[in-house]
């Protein structure tokens, strides 16, 4: 899922600062849309010096697995590579 939005212009009387009518002149209308993601997604995090890397696999929008990537794995990026 991803958050998406459209913009709606507010009437002058609903804007927060009447002295500066351009400020707050639009309101975001939020909605969620399903991406139906299909593939692998690598993510990571750390806490108190510990580094953790994970690989999540989805098939047609359904999460199949999340696995820990071992420290010596070929899936880990090479240091200094962008």
């Amino acid at each position: 899922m991803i958050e998406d939005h459209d913009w709606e212009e507010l009437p002058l009387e609903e804007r927060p600062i009447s002295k500066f009518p351009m400020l707050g002149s639009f309101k975001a209308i939020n909605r969620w849309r399903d991406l139906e993601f299909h593939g692998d997604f690598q993510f990571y995090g750390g806490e108190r010096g510990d580094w953790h890397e994970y690989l999540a696999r989805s098939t047609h929008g359904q999460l199949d697995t999340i696995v820990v990537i071992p420290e010596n794995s070929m899936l880990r990026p090479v240091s200094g590579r962008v």
Side-chain angles (χ1 to χ4, degrees), residues 3-60:
E3 187 177 15
D4 201 359
H5 59 270
D6 289 319
W7 294 96
E8 178 181 278
E9 188 171 3
L10 291 174
L12 284 172
E13 61 273 5
E14 291 182 27
R15 296 180 188 180
I17 305 173
S18 59
K19 187 175 179 181
F20 301 102
M22 289 305 294
L23 295 177
S25 59
F26 286 91
K27 174 179 155 184
I29 308 298
N30 297 330
R31 65 181 181 279
W32 289 92
R33 113 182 124 88
D34 195 342
L35 294 177
E36 293 289 325
F37 184 75
H38 184 80
D40 293 341
F41 182 79
Q42 196 168 342
F43 60 100
Y44 54 88
E47 182 178 24
R48 293 188 288 278
D50 291 331
W51 186 254
H52 311 278
E53 293 193 39
Y54 305 91
L55 182 74
R57 176 163 288 164
S58 292
T59 305
H60 303 293

Side-chain angles (χ1 to χ4, degrees), residues 41-82:
F41 182 79
Q42 196 168 342
F43 60 100
Y44 54 88
E47 182 178 24
R48 293 188 288 278
D50 291 331
W51 186 254
H52 311 278
E53 293 193 39
Y54 305 91
L55 182 74
R57 176 163 288 164
S58 292
T59 305
H60 303 293
Q62 296 296 312
L63 179 63
D64 296 324
T65 58
I66 297 178
V67 296
V68 176
I69 299 174
E71 193 169 323
N72 59 355
S73 173
M74 295 295 289
L75 291 173
R76 285 186 177 249
V78 176
S79 180
R81 189 176 78 189
V82 178

